[in-house]
Amino acid sequence: MIGSPGDWDTDIGGATTAAKPFSLSAWVKVDASESTHMRIFDFSNSDRRLSWDYTNNRIQIVITGTAAGSKYSSTVDTDTWVHVVGTYAGGTAGALNIYINGILDNAGGTTMNAPVAISGYDCYIGARRAVYDEWL
C-alpha cells in the first residue's frame, strides 16, 4: 500500500467533471499459468485500476462511475515482457486508452459516465486489497 485515498484522489481522482486526467504505466510479464484477474495498479476498491484479464489474456483499464468505463487491449502474449500504459483524459466522460509496447490498442470497452472519487481504501501495486486476487 502506498499513500492514502485522500492523497490519490488529490493526484488522479476527483468525481464527475472534476475527475483528473492520468496515465499509469508498467512493464509486466504474466506467467501463462495464472488463473485470476491480477491488478497492476488498484486505487481504493477498483475506483481506478489497470489490470490483467486472465480469461482473455488482455490488459484493461477501468474507472468506476455511475456507469463504469473500461478499455481493453487485444490479446497480449504471456511469458513475455510488455510495456503497458492506461490513460484517462479526465472529466465526466473522458477517453480511456490502452497502449501495448507504445502502440494504441483499444480492442473494446464500455462508455463511462460520472467517475467516482477515490475513497475508502489505499492504493495497491501488483495486487488488490481483496484476498481472492493474486499478486502480479
Side-chain angles (χ1 to χ4, degrees):
M1 299 177 298
I2 54 173
S4 71
D7 295 336
W8 289 111
D9 193 56
T10 297
D11 293 336
I12 69 166
T16 62
T17 58
K20 296 172 182 69
F22 66 87
S23 64
L24 301 169
S25 68
W27 282 94
V28 297
K29 180 181 178 186
V30 178
D31 187 306
S33 66
E34 296 297 344
S35 60
T36 189
H37 291 282
M38 294 173 288
R39 302 308 201 261
I40 301 167
F41 293 98
D42 192 11
F43 296 89
S44 189
N45 191 22
S46 296
D47 294 341
R48 312 281 191 280
R49 83 170 183 256
L50 185 64
S51 60
W52 170 258
D53 171 3
Y54 80 94
T55 305
N56 300 294
N57 286 354
R58 62 189 183 195
I59 301 295
Q60 60 185 8
I61 184 171
V62 178
I63 297 181
T64 302
T66 54
S70 67
K71 280 289 186 209
Y72 55 83
S73 69
S74 54
T75 301
V76 175
D77 292 332
T78 55
D79 296 319
T80 302
W81 282 101
V82 294
H83 186 246
V84 300
V85 178
T87 66
Y88 173 59
T92 300
L96 290 163
N97 289 297
I98 295 279
Y99 296 85
I100 305 296
N101 293 325
I103 299 169
L104 181 64
D105 188 351
N106 288 339
T110 58
T111 303
M112 182 206 24
N113 187 16
V116 299
I118 296 172
S119 63
Y121 301 100
D122 295 317
C123 167
Y124 293 81
I125 296 175
R128 182 180 177 196
R129 66 174 193 86
V131 297
Y132 55 83
D133 281 340
E134 296 179 13
W135 290 90
L136 178 65

